[in-house]
Amino acid sequence: MKIKTLLIANRGEVACRIARTARARGVRPVAVHSEADVNALHVREIGHSICVGGGPASESYLRIDAVLAAAKAAGADAVHPGYGFLAENPEFARTVEAAGMIFMGPTPETLERFGDKARAKDAAIAASVPVISGAAGALSDPDKIAAEVRRMGLPVLLKAVGGGGGRGQRLVIDEKTLMADIEGALREAKSTFGSEGLLLERFLPQARHVEVQIAGDGKGHVVHLFERDCTLQRRHQKVIEEAPAWGLPRTLLDEIAHDAVRLGETLHYRGLGTVEFLVSGEEYFFLEVNPRIQVEHPVTEAITGLDLVALQLRIAEGAGLGLKQDDLTIDGHAVEARLYAEDPAMQFAPSTGMLTTLSLPDGLRIDSGVEAGDAVTPYYDPMIAKLIIHAPDRETALARLAHALDHVAVEGVETNRAFLAALARNADFERMNVHTRWIDERLDDLTAPTEVPGTRLWKAMAAVLFVTRGRWDGAAEPWPNRDVFTNWRLGLGGDAMEAGPRVMLTDAAGSCEELCVGPVRSGDTYTVYGSDGAALTFSCREIAPDRWRVAQGKTVDVATARLHAGVIEIDAAPGRLVFRPAPPLASAGGDTAGERTVASPLTGMIVDVKVSEGDAIAEGDVVAVLESMKLEISIKASASGIAANIAVSKGVMVDRGQMIVEIIPPEKEQA
């Protein structure tokens, strides 16, 4: 059956990506959106979209009835679920097929089997695929789970039976936190997956995460599209993925792929799927099957030359795979980095707000679901973009990825850009001396602030641009008579900071400095004084629109620079920098009271309050636990003192910036 109209039951970058292939194959894509997404990029790009409900996913993208009604209204022949939301929901797949439409994914029966980790493990055992030892079946009673963990011996991994994509996992390493870990895992499993069942498995401390992409025609013909390495994870969430898996013997990888194919063949697998494994030394163990297209599918497309969405469409139309295992070869190496709106300084909590600036580099594949001016809301996954590099070898791919990340600029929200760049340049990662908990063990080092080379010069250039092109008072040129003022002296022996226009510049790290720009001299030469009085002299000339020649001493750089959306953006050889200008004294005033008010870092629900009125608190203590975007965030005290004016309770919703608790100095309490 030829598919003519395809309803894409998803949002963001995956909806945009599916639509591009659909159009290329002559298929008309139709989108769905929530009320919060009415102006979203996927709605704009696809061009025809149907509203399925309110902002929260539970009121829109997760509503089977609303999505099905949209598919019928669009006259869709098929429904593509993307990933997340309803992609692995067997009831949704069954409902779509019952309505006479094609569900672009595995059969409902396959989704049921792999949606339950216990049943998936049983299927692997039946197919003679190695599995990790642990307790038999799923458990939901906290006391029984604790007893079983003690019997197995620490460390033990708790896994939500309905989990997927790294969600719903907790590692128990300390008897003192055993019950808290169990209760947290059960709570997360219920809120995220609707089931409290947990699997208990032996923890492999030095393992790599290797997954095999399979494709099946639903009639027993299954092939693998080689493997991906997803070892770089933070709290079981993938950060950077690559293909193929570098540094492992091809004989071992072929054996893993063979087992993945055999598992698919035993179930007459239909569509795309990913069979995930842990590799420890020369051993490997089955983890789970993700019965859908994966976030990291572009790296497989890069090394195989295949369009996986096109392959899904072909299978759904009943045309089979159209390829054999011997047809597939590996070309080069590919890496993908996930750029998220999240704050590394706040335990990587999602960062919401409007993207006032979004500049992404050229020369690579970028899959994104947002543009400058779009908002990152608290309702959905905060991914900004995926940066995909394909190169002849891994060394080149990583170098190009690091360079690309240097030239990413985002304003309006916090991001993990610097964290990703640190990973791409890390020597241990370059040698693949990593494991699934490697990031967690080195998080402080990987998130330590770094400075772009030459930042002082570029900050000085930003100050010049501001006072000559974008002053708040609207004057375009503070020194209109250049010839008259050539070699003009700064006052009569006074402080250099007393003369010339000033500007407060805040960089991406939040560091703020007041700079003073001295008068122009011959050759477009400026002297810029920092807040410490140190002077930097250089020439700065625009050689083409937004292209600048900057010379200091014997060094000449050419950079792109522009003023837009209230920021100054400079893209130079070392990287892309963004500065937010403000008039002098704009940040004057205020006091330190804010440091003693603990506020919610984002919108979400309070799932636990750890302090009571009058409790003594040390800086860094957890005062409450917030759940947002299916993640639990520990909210910590910013100062030591006494808990007072607790403004929240368990189960209440809070907005970003809303006060949680006030911390008063101990002496004030005694007074």
Side-chain angles (χ1 to χ4, degrees):
M1 172 185 171
K2 173 63 178 176
I3 297 172
K4 296 179 180 178
T5 300
L6 176 67
L7 184 94
I8 303 171
N10 217 293
R11 66 176 301 278
E13 62 90 10
V14 70
C16 295
R17 187 265 171 277
I18 293 167
R20 286 194 293 271
T21 291
R23 282 203 180 94
R25 288 178 57 89
V27 177
R28 171 178 170 258
V30 176
V32 294
H33 66 273
S34 68
E35 292 172 359
D37 270 346
V38 65
N39 295 313
L41 180 61
H42 77 276
V43 175
R44 303 196 301 269
E45 279 202 0
I46 294 174
H48 181 62
S49 186
I50 299 170
C51 184
V52 289
S58 60
E59 299 176 11
S60 50
Y61 297 107
L62 289 172
R63 284 184 55 197
I64 293 176
D65 59 335
V67 175
L68 188 66
K72 290 179 178 178
D77 308 301
V79 175
H80 196 309
Y83 52 73
F85 295 136
L86 297 171
E88 299 177 54
N89 188 308
E91 180 187 351
F92 179 57
R94 194 170 281 115
T95 302
V96 169
E97 294 184 347
M101 291 176 278
I102 298 170
F103 177 75
M104 285 187 57
T107 65
E109 293 74 24
T110 299
L111 293 176
E112 284 176 339
R113 182 182 295 269
F114 290 129
D116 184 303
K117 287 193 186 319
R119 293 187 64 192
K121 193 171 184 177
D122 290 341
I125 293 171
S128 300
V129 178
V131 299
I132 302 173
S133 62
L139 302 174
S140 58
D141 181 88
D143 293 332
K144 291 182 179 179
I145 293 173
E148 189 63 31
V149 169
R150 294 187 180 102
R151 182 194 68 78
M152 292 173 62
L154 298 178
V156 170
L157 189 63
L158 308 178
K159 299 171 65 175
V161 71
R167 304 282 189 183
Q169 297 187 25
R170 295 234 177 172
L171 177 63
V172 183
I173 58 175
D174 191 340
E175 170 74 26
K176 295 178 182 178
T177 64
L178 175 58
M179 292 309 297
D181 288 333
I182 292 171
E183 290 169 0
L186 289 170
R187 184 170 60 241
E188 186 176 338
K190 185 174 182 179
S191 65
T192 306
F193 307 108
S195 171
E196 290 188 350
L198 296 178
L199 284 181
L200 281 59
E201 291 183 344
R202 175 170 66 97
F203 176 65
L204 302 176
Q206 298 289 322
R208 283 174 61 174
H209 184 123
V210 175
E211 61 187 34
V212 178
Q213 178 73 67
I214 63 171
D217 63 2
K219 300 176 183 178
H221 179 37
V222 178
V223 299
H224 71 80
L225 309 180
F226 304 104
E227 76 285 343
R228 297 183 288 257
D229 191 298
C230 305
T231 300
L232 278 197
Q233 302 175 12
R234 188 191 63 79
R235 296 179 62 185
H236 310 294
Q237 295 295 299
K238 298 168 185 175
V239 179
I240 292 179
E241 305 98 347
E242 57 185 295
W246 187 82
L248 292 175
R250 178 45 58 184
T251 53
L252 175 64
L253 295 172
D254 288 344
E255 187 178 348
I256 294 172
H258 179 73
D259 277 359
V261 169
R262 187 169 68 251
L263 178 59
E265 289 173 339
T266 62
L267 302 172
H268 285 190
Y269 195 89
R270 184 185 78 189
L272 295 182
T274 298
V275 188
E276 305 199 354
F277 297 87
L278 284 181
V279 179
S280 180
E282 297 181 355
E283 295 184 293
Y284 62 92
F285 305 94
F286 170 83
L287 271 181
E288 64 181 1
V289 174
N290 287 312
R292 51 172 167 79
I293 196 167
Q294 293 275 94
V295 176
E296 59 271 23
H297 77 273
V299 294
T300 295
E301 293 184 322
I303 66 165
T304 62
L306 296 173
D307 183 327
L308 296 193
V309 175
L311 183 58
Q312 285 184 299
L313 282 165
R314 180 185 174 92
I315 295 168
E317 291 176 340
L321 298 178
L323 51 84
K324 299 177 182 178
Q325 193 64 59
D326 291 342
D327 298 331
L328 299 165
T329 58
I330 296 174
D331 174 26
H333 199 91
V335 291
E336 172 185 291
R338 304 185 186 192
L339 180 67
Y340 275 99
E342 59 186 14
D343 188 354
M346 289 292 297
Q347 307 166 66
F348 288 84
S351 179
T352 57
M354 179 177 289
L355 295 167
T356 54
T357 296
L358 177 57
S359 296
L360 301 171
D362 298 323
L364 68 157
R365 173 176 170 177
I366 293 177
D367 286 6
S368 180
V370 291
E371 293 178 330
D374 290 340
V376 177
T377 73
Y379 300 122
Y380 317 115
D381 185 271
M383 181 185 287
I384 295 174
K386 300 184 306 194
L387 283 66
I388 304 104
I389 301 286
H390 184 215
D393 54 71
R394 185 173 186 267
E395 183 180 12
T396 304
L398 288 177
R400 286 183 54 198
L401 176 62
H403 181 267
L405 288 164
D406 288 342
H407 292 266
V408 167
V410 182
E411 282 289 303
V413 297
E414 301 295 329
T415 77
N416 64 339
R417 185 208 62 79
F419 169 62
L420 293 172
L423 287 172
R425 288 190 170 93
N426 185 273
D428 284 336
F429 178 47
E430 288 176 359
R431 293 188 294 266
M432 211 59 194
N433 293 332
V434 296
H435 52 82
T436 55
R437 286 186 58 80
W438 178 83
I439 286 180
D440 295 326
E441 294 173 356
R442 294 160 177 79
L443 202 54
D444 289 344
D445 291 339
L446 292 169
T447 55
T450 58
E451 188 173 277
V452 174
T455 297
R456 185 164 174 254
L457 172 63
W458 303 120
K459 183 181 287 188
M461 179 188 175
V464 169
L465 287 176
F466 177 72
V467 301
T468 59
R469 296 291 181 89
R471 297 167 64 207
W472 295 108
D473 59 11
E477 170 61 79
W479 298 286
N481 300 314
R482 286 172 174 260
D483 295 334
V484 174
F485 285 95
T486 296
N487 296 320
W488 182 63
R489 296 177 61 195
L490 297 178
L492 298 176
D495 189 340
M497 290 293 287
E498 295 177 2
R502 304 183 184 192
V503 58
M504 298 290 295
L505 291 179
T506 304
D507 61 22
S511 175
C512 186
E513 182 180 7
E514 183 181 48
L515 293 94
C516 174
V517 180
V520 65
R521 289 187 265 168
S522 60
D524 296 293
T525 299
Y526 297 86
T527 298
V528 176
Y529 299 86
S531 57
D532 58 358
L536 184 68
T537 300
F538 61 98
S539 68
C540 182
R541 182 190 296 273
E542 190 172 22
I543 56 178
D546 295 333
R547 293 283 288 173
W548 296 78
R549 177 189 181 277
V550 181
Q552 182 189 25
K554 297 181 180 180
T555 302
V556 176
D557 287 280
V558 176
T560 300
R562 60 182 183 141
L563 292 84
H564 70 109
V567 300
I568 300 167
E569 182 181 337
I570 300 175
D571 191 8
R576 183 174 267 141
L577 300 100
V578 175
F579 300 99
R580 294 188 298 276
L585 306 180
S587 59
D591 53 36
T592 60
E595 296 179 3
R596 294 194 167 274
T597 299
V598 181
S600 176
L602 62 158
T603 300
M605 183 177 72
I606 299 294
V607 296
D608 199 6
V609 179
K610 297 290 189 181
V611 296
S612 300
E613 197 81 15
D615 283 354
I617 299 175
E619 182 179 350
D621 283 354
V622 177
V623 298
V625 179
L626 177 80
E627 183 183 275
S628 181
M629 297 185 186
K630 301 180 182 178
L631 295 176
E632 287 194 357
I633 308 297
S634 296
I635 302 174
K636 298 181 179 181
S638 54
S640 299
I642 306 299
N645 302 320
I646 298 174
V648 299
S649 59
K650 183 177 179 179
V652 303
M653 293 295 297
V654 295
D655 292 325
R656 182 181 185 181
Q658 183 173 330
M659 189 183 87
I660 302 297
V661 61
E662 185 181 354
I663 304 174
I664 60 176
E667 60 272 16
K668 184 176 180 180
E669 172 72 11
Q670 294 169 1

